[in-house]
């Protein structure tokens, strides 16, 4: 399957290579560089590039290209999904997945890659198993290791791979037993010029942080499970039970994991929590354009809209913008023509507003296109779909855990066309 | 990593990185200048020193730096000898890093890599399953051809390991060995077959992967495991799921009927959505024909879904909920390719969900959705809005979404889609705008109602400032106009006006072409355009000039009166143009259109040449017809066949026999204890003997007949109890079952073929006699086995019964199919042994029967390796002669069994005589026996296939071997001091047989005479890595000197070295090819304790020899 892996940074250097079968010369990456040159934007490099003898499948994360070399037919998603899993693992281990972090921990990276693939076929990708095999480096452990010469490699061979619950390690012990669940919903929407909603949908996830001793068996039930239209589960969730009773029953992995992601059925109308009034115009003949943008809350059930950030890609002809925000700060990058306005919290009494003029290149004609406005925001303590967790029960262990559930709504891909 | 490293590392220069890390371990020795001025040589010297040191931490530090070198792609191969020594280190991290290094460089340093082999071989026997597994993993990752036999052994052994984790590793190793040495395929298939029977979810994914890599065409291996795989699927790890689902898709395409045969009929009646589109019309014609055909088939045989087909669909459906995009995609393609039309819809939701994922995932999913939307438009229509494009999407995603939107467009949603497109046209991303214009063009051609609207919209775009947009619009308009030029002369007129404003050369050229092509629709404007163009000719771009000439020529032909002078003028201008293309074109056109005396016959046809009717370009999706590739595959994505792609077969016309998937009740329930099984094995030769006397086929038939009639009653009873037992046994520990499985394997394997071959002829006739009995029994056994499987297969019996009323032909066919199952079951137990022999006869070249000739040595060795698993090994019967050897006799090995050889049997032994023609060869004595009734002629060898370096001296041809006679011949083989098999064909005048000779390691040497002193001297030189010592307890019968000498010399061709002490026995020999010394010492202690020591330069030979002698002495 996967023959080799090359990591390439933004400036086009191959800074790590790993081979699982015979060594593939790094000159194979030249085909990748060619494709990269042809693509104008970094994200436009095709994920699959055929070369005379190999196929290159790449993903771009954190400005690093992870390029896998394969030689024969294999489902491309298989490789892509695996590469993303590799990135997630690095992130999990090193906190960030940057070139510096990878270079600093190259030995751990190598040990990880060695465990994750055997002959190019995924072997252990579950983070709980990997962490038993190879302990993540912490500052403390690095210090201790330097002094005592001990290692990051676990002395114990993991039992997880053999058990019925491969995602959970055995012998977990905590003094404080706690289980936290975050219900996070994102609104994806496209709002058209006149303010009407073209498409809007809610995607949600339940992220969990479970620190429980032993082998707890949890059940989580919802007040309104019918809201969930399409769900995908962590492998720990018992599918049969969900089908029959709409109850999530599972033995959780240890630590952080994504329990569930869901899509709220499209029959329910999506409440759009903010509205935008905008007036962006360019006049024919003059080298000036007007910019006027006002944000306001709408259907938020009394909750504050926070961490609002507006960004917009202005037309290429715009030289600079001279704007005046009623609150927050704005920046305009004259090279990329990206306007960002960090609004902060929306105060319903005094709506945030950004107003001013844009200067166009002298002599340039009026741009055809109107910029789209991307909006990010957060609303705490509310799930916009109305999803509510009913109860969380634990079986199989004696102690009483501390349970917590948090709701949050965020903007996903929230765009306003002008 | 040191903190110093953390700070220094940011700099891009690698030297700085190394210098930074340098400071921690050896800062005093090299200093800061080291990093800047060091050469590779110096650095490595330093590392070597660290590796040689006694301190574990220094070694580890050195290894870490070496791994850093490897990760940067630098060469660290010269450190091999220093590193390989640490392979047996106690420190786990150090060991792992050494493994990393070893796997990376073993291929380049093959000889040195062999040094590590014995460590892994020892670890393969470790009581800890993880150590066994990791040893196998590394051993199999070392790509050194010479250890292929060792790998083969290790794989076979690991495949029978009690730990599923080790078995999983062995499945991975199969692929590695196969890529290293494809010649081992046949043996590997045997292992795969065994592992496919495994019930552990851990193994399933890996073994199917191995199956796909080694023998994807051996679909017959899947039959028996099909239901098990389906049922295990949900619990298999996610990566394995992907592989299994893809394989099962292919499998199902060969085994089941197309579920949509009937539905296509219905659709035709109701007039499906597909009919809306003009461009689809021809296609529909074809489809109708197909449908008619399908209908004909359907009428003959109403479609009923095979319960196994249903099982697959039902068990994969929950996986659409997987968090792994690859699994979701795999299920989606399975449904797309296999499910009835009505059920395919479920995948849409899951695929749309994937669109929320990373852009690479979106890219692949959209490609597949684009293909699906062409065939099954309705499926994705409810999700239309999910494909709306956001300004933040990367261009390649935007273009794919456009493709999907265009495919989804129909009369009802076209207005919304066009409104969307309108906003896209204003995008800043010009490539995307161009793609949108193309998409609009396609919508316009597909949906007649909006053609005019689209055309108007596109015409407006002609005034866009962006060249790309205009050019694209003109090109699309041109295509649209070509469809119905007569209707749109006003647009042509409009475009003619545009020539004044539009400056984009491509667009101007397109307009001129249009006017020229349809000049009869605009007879008054065309000459005027030409006039303007003639005026500006010199200032135009080249492509425009060419089109001006074109226009002039066409006008000259249609309207020469008005344009004669203009044409002349243009041609004259062109004649002196700077561009030679234009000059050429002008000359060429002039000759064609202006008649002169010289101009030949061509000018008569000028009008036909220039004004021929050009076919309208077809605007169709680039994803059309892509679905002949399996969706989700790399080949589909690239729209080209990738290496190793397995074609998705077409549905079969008639379903193959479904009974092949029936899994019988395991036989082992009958014999509860091990002894019983052993007894059975002893019986085997007896059966084969009796068969050899009478004609084999006859005996099998007659016996099965009599056996089944007499025993059928009792069989039915036993079957009842067994099916009950089976359900219990499934909950029992796997390990036990697997041991048994190995035993059953061979027997079971053959059964699927039997019903296929015989069900039509003999079986059915047999059944006539016993029908009443059988039917009742069949019902019983069926219902029972079903309840074990799952509720889905309950339907199995009902459809077959309901069909009884439908049509005669179907009924009889079905009956036969259904009944071929129970009889084969009932007869099976009594027939088992006969069947085995029968299949040997029937299928001898179809598949390698596990007959002894393949692996005499392997089994011998594997037995020695697996002393703890003794009695479980696959072929005990062959081992028995090896363990009880009459004194002085040579071991005979079977080369060709009498039955496989159709009467001709060949045995061979290593005669231990020097082979006179070539001293480097091992003499092999072959003994031919003709057991058949006819003479065999011209026995000779052909097609010798050897590992590199090996040589063979063939035996002289045997011209005649009369029936019942025996003869012998000697051949020589140079094995190159390896235990690799020599494969060749043994040919008689009628037949060819594939055979192979594999030497036990003891036969690869010849005795040499040494004195005691010489022996000690030589031994002193072969210390360290070349010395292998093992402690052992001698067998009770082998505690005197004589017995030891006899056993050692039987196991290996060595000579005794005189020795002063009576506690020691010494032997010496040299390997045949390379004359490396082999020294063996057996030192005895009290109470049968002893120590075995082998000194040999050739590590591999030494290790294998130790095992052989150990075995000989302990048994």
């Amino acid at each position: 399957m996967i023959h080799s892996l090359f990591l390439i940074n933004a400036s086009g250097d191959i800074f790590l290579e790993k081979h699982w079968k015979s060594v593939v010369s790094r000159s194979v990456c030249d085909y990748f560089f060619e494709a990269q040159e042809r693509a104008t934007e970094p994200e436009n490099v095709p994920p699959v590039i055929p070369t005379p003898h190999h196929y290159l499948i790449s993903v771009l994360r954190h400005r690093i290209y992870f390029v896998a070399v394969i030689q024969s037919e294999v489902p491309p998603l298989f490789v892509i999904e695996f590469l993303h899993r590799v990135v997630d693992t690095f992130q999990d281990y090193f906190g960030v997945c940057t070139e510096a972090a990878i270079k600093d921990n190259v030995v751990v990276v190598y040990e990880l890659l060695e465990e994750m693939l055997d002959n190019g076929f995924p072997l252990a990708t579950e983070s709980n198993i990997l962490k038993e095999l190879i302990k993540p480096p912490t500052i403390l452990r690095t210090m201790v290791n330097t002094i005592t010469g001990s290692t990051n490699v676990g002395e114990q061979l993991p039992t997880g791979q053999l058990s019925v619950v491969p995602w959970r390690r055995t012998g977990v012990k905590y003094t404080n037993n706690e289980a936290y669940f975050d219900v996070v919903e994102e609104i994806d929407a496209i709002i058209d010029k006149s303010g009407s909603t073209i498409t809007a949908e809610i995607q949600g996830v339940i992220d969990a942080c479970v620190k429980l001793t032993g082998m707890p068996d949890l059940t989580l039930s919802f007040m309104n499970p019918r809201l969930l239209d399409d769900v995908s589960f962590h492998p720990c969730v018992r599918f049969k039970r969900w089908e029959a009773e709409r109850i999530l029953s599972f033995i959780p992995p240890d630590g952080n994991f994504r329990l569930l992601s869901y899509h709220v059925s499209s029959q329910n109308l999506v409440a759009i929590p903010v509205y935008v009034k905008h007036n962006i115009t360019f006049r024919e003949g003059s080298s000036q354009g007007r910019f006027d943008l006002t944000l306001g809350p709408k259907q938020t059930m009394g909750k504050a809209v926070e961490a609002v950030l507006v960004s917009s890609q202005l037309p290429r002809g715009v030289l600079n913008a001279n704007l005046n925000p009623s609150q927050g700060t704005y920046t305009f990058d004259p090279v990329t023509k990206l306007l960002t306005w960090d609004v902060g919290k929306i105060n319903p009494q005094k709506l945030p507003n950004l107003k001013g003029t844009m200067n166009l290149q002298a002599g340039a004609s009026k741009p055809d296109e109107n910029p789209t406005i991307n909006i990010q925001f957060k609303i705490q303590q509310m799930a916009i779909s109305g999803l509510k967790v009913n109860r969380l029960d634990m079986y199989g262990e004696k102690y009483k855990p501390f349970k917590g559930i948090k709701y949050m709504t965020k903007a996903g891909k929230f765009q306003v066309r002008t | 990593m040191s903190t110093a490293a953390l700070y220094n590392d940011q700099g891009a220069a690698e030297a700085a990185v190394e210098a930074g890390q340098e400071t921690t371990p050896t800062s005093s020795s090299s200093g800061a200048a080291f990093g800047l001025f060091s050469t590779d040589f110096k650095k490595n010297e330093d590392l070597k020193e660290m590796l040689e040191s006694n301190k574990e931490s220094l070694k580890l530090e050195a290894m870490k730096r070496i791994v850093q070198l490897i990760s940067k792609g630098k060469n660290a191969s010269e450190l091999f000898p220093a590193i390989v020594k640490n392979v047996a280190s106690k420190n786990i991290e150090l060991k792992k890093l050494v493994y990393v290094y070893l796997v990376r460089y073993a291929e380049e340093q093959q000889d040195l890599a062999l040094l590590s082999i014995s460590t892994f071989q020892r670890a393969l026997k470790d009581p800890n399953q993880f150590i066994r597994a990791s040893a196998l993993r590394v051993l199999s990752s070392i790509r050194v051809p010479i250890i292929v036999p060792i790998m083969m052994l290790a794989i076979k052994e690991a495949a029978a390991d009690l730990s599923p984790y080790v078995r999983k590793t062995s499945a991975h190793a199969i692929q590695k060995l196969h890529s290293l040495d494809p010649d081992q395929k046949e043996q590997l298939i045997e292992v795969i077959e065994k592992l496919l029977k495994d019930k552990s979810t851990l193994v399933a994914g890996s073994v199917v992967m191995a199956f796909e890599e080694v023998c994807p065409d051996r679909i017959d291996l899947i039959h028996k495991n099909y239901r098990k795989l389906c049922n295990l699927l949900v619990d298999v790890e996610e990566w394995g799921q992907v592989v299994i689902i893809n394989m099962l898709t292919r499998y199902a395409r060969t085994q089941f009927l197309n579920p949509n045969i009937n539905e296509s009929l219905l659709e035709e009646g109701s007039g499906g959505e597909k009919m809306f589109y003009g461009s689809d019309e021809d296609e529909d014609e074809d489809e109708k024909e197909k449908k008619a055909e399908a209908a004909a088939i359907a009428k003959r045989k109403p479609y009923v879904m095979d319960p196994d087909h249903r099982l697959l669909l039902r068990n994969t459906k929950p996986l659409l909920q997987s968090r792994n995009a690859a699994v979701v995609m795999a299920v989606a393609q399975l449904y797309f390719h296999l499910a009835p039309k009505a059920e395919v819809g479920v995948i849409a939701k899951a695929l749309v969900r994937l669109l929320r994922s990373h852009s690479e995932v979106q890219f692949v999913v959209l490609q597949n959705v684009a293909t699906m939307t062409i065939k099954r438009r309705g499926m994705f229509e409810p999700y239309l809005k999910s494909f709306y494009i956001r300004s933040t999407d990367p261009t390649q995603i935007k273009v794919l979404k456009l493709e999907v939107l265009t495919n989804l467009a129909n009369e009802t949603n076209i207005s919304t889609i066009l409104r969307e497109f309108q906003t896209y046209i204003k995008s800043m991303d010009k490539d995307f705008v161009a793609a949108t214009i193309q998409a609009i063009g396609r919508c316009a051609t597909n949906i007649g109602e909006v053609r005019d609207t689209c055309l108007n919209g596109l015409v407006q775009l002609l005034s866009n400032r962006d060249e790309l947009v205009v050019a694209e619009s003109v090109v699309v308009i041109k295509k649209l106009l070509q469809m119905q030029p007569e209707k749109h002369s006003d647009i042509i007129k409009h475009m003619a006006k545009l020539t004044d404003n539009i400056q984009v050369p491509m667009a101007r050229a397109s307009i001129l072409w249009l006017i020229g092509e349809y000049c009869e629709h605009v007879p008054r404007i065309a000459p005027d355009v030409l006039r303007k163009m003639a005026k500006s000719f010199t200032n135009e771009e080249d492509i425009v000039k060419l089109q001006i000439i074109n226009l002039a020529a066409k006008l000259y032909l249609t309207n020469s009166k008005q344009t004669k002078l203009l044409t002349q003028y243009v041609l004259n201008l062109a004649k002196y143009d700077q561009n030679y293309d234009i000059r050429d074109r002008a000359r060429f056109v002039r000759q064609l259109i202006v008649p002169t005396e010289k101009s030949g016959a061509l000018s008569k046809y000028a009008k036909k040449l220039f004004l021929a009717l050009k076919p309208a370009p077809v605007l169709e999706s680039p994803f059309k017809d892509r679905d002949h590739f399996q969706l989700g595959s790399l080949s589909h994505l690239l729209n080209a066949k990738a290496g190793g792609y397995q074609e998705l077969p077409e549905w079969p016309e008639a379903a193959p026999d479904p009974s092949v998937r029936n899994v019988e009740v395991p036989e082992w329930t009958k014999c509860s204890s091990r002894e019983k099984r052993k007894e059975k094995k002893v019986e085997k030769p007896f059966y084969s003997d009796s068969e050899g006397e009478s004609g084999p086929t006859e005996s099998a038939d007659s016996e099965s007949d009599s056996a089944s009639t007499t025993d059928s009653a009792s069989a039915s009873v036993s079957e009842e109890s067994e099916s009950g037992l089976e359900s219990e046994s499934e909950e029992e520990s796997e390990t036990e079952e697997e041991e048994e499985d190995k035993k059953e394997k061979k027997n079971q394997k053959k059964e699927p073929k039997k019903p296929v071959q015989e069900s039509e002829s003999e079986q059915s006739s047999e059944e006539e006699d016993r029908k009443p009995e059988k039917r009742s029994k069949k019902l019983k056994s069926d219902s029972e086995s079903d309840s074990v499987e799952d509720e889905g297969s309950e339907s199995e019996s009902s459809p077959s019964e309901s069909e009884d009323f439908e049509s005669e032909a179907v009924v009889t066919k079905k009956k036969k199919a259904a009944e071929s199952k129970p009889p084969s079951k009932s007869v099976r137990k009594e027939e088992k042994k006969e069947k085995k022999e029968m299949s040997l006869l029937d299928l001898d070249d179809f598949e390698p029967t596990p007959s002894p000739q393949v692996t005499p040595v392997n089994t011998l060795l594997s037995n020695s390796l697996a002393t703890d698993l003794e009695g479980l090994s696959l072929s005990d019967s062959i081992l028995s002669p090896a363990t009880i050897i009459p004194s002085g006799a040579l071991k005979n090995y079977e080369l060709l069994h009498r039955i496989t050889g159709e009467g001709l049997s060949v045995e061979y032994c290593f005669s231990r005589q020097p082979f006179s023609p070539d001293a480097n060869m091992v003499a092999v004595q072959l003994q031919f026996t003709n057991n058949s009734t006819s003479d065999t002629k011209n026995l000779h060898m052909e097609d010798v296939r050897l590992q590199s370096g090996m040589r063979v001296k063939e035996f002289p041809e045997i011209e005649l071997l009369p029936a019942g006679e025996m003869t012998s011949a000697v051949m020589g083989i140079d094995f190159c001091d390896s235990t690799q098999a020599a494969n060749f064909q043994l040919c008689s005048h009628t037949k060819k047989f594939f055979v192979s000779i594999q030497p036990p390691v003891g036969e690869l040497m010849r005795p040499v005479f040494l004195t005691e002193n010489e022996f000690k001297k030589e031994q002193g030189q072969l210390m360290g890595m070349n010395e292998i010592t093992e402690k052992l307890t001698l067998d009770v019968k082998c505690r005197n000197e004589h017995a030891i000498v006899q056993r050692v010399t039987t196991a290996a061709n060595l000579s005794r070295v005189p020795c002063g002490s009576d506690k020691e026995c010494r032997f010496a020999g040299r390997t045949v090819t390379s004359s490396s010394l082999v020294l063996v010492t057996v030192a005895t202690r009290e109470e049968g304790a002893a120590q075995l020591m082998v000194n040999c330069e050739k590590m591999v030979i030494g290790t294998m020899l130790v095992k052989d002698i150990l075995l000989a002495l302990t048994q």
Side-chain angles (χ1 to χ4, degrees), chain B residues 523-536:
Chain B
R524 294 171 58 184
I525 294 172
D528 196 49
V529 173
L530 181 63
R531 180 185 60 80
K532 283 185 190 161
M533 287 298 134
K535 221 161 120 188
S536 62

Side-chain angles (χ1 to χ4, degrees), chain A residues 294-348:
Chain A
T294 309
L295 288 171
K298 185 169 112 181
Q299 297 168 303
T300 60
M301 292 179 265
K303 301 282 191 316
V305 183
E306 297 168 337
V308 181
L309 186 79
V310 178
S311 63
S312 177
Q313 181 81 44
L314 297 186
R316 238 165 282 154
V318 177
L319 265 188
N320 59 39
N322 194 1
L323 305 174
N324 188 17
S326 70
Q327 76 179 75
T329 52
Y330 85 94
T331 53
F332 176 71
D333 184 341
V335 182
T336 58
K337 314 288 182 198
L338 186 70
L339 174 81
T340 45
W341 176 28
D342 190 350
V343 183
K345 195 169 163 181
I346 295 181
N347 178 0

Side-chain angles (χ1 to χ4, degrees), chain B residues 97-111:
Chain B
L97 295 179
V98 172
Y99 285 179
V100 168
Y101 181 89
L102 201 61
V103 172
R104 169 69 179 75
Y105 284 110
E107 214 170 359
E108 295 170 27
Q109 308 258 350
Q110 306 219 347
D111 292 341

Side-chain angles (χ1 to χ4, degrees), chain A residues 17 26 60 73 85 104 106 111 114 118 142 151 158 162 186 188 231 316 366 369 372 413, chain B residues 1 9 68 71-72 93 129-130 137 176 238 321 356 360 390-391 426 428 465 634-635 643:
Chain A
E17 63 178 58
R26 51 165 68 193
L60 173 68
E73 173 64 49
R85 210 59 78 78
D104 284 348
V106 73
E111 283 164 351
E114 189 71 29
D118 180 15
T142 318
T151 66
L162 295 177
E186 294 193 356
D188 287 356
V231 283
R316 238 165 282 154
K366 165 185 175 272
E369 63 267 2
T372 22
K413 296 170 179 169
Chain B
M1 216 91 355
D9 227 326
Q68 275 178 334
S71 76
K72 284 175 201 144
E93 185 167 27
Q129 49 179 336
F130 287 102
R137 232 181 108 186
K176 302 182 206 170
E238 42 195 350
Q321 247 74 46
R356 287 270 302 168
E360 295 88 4
R390 294 158 202 279
S391 59
K426 288 185 189 147
M428 280 175 244
R465 258 188 308 279
L634 184 63
S635 305

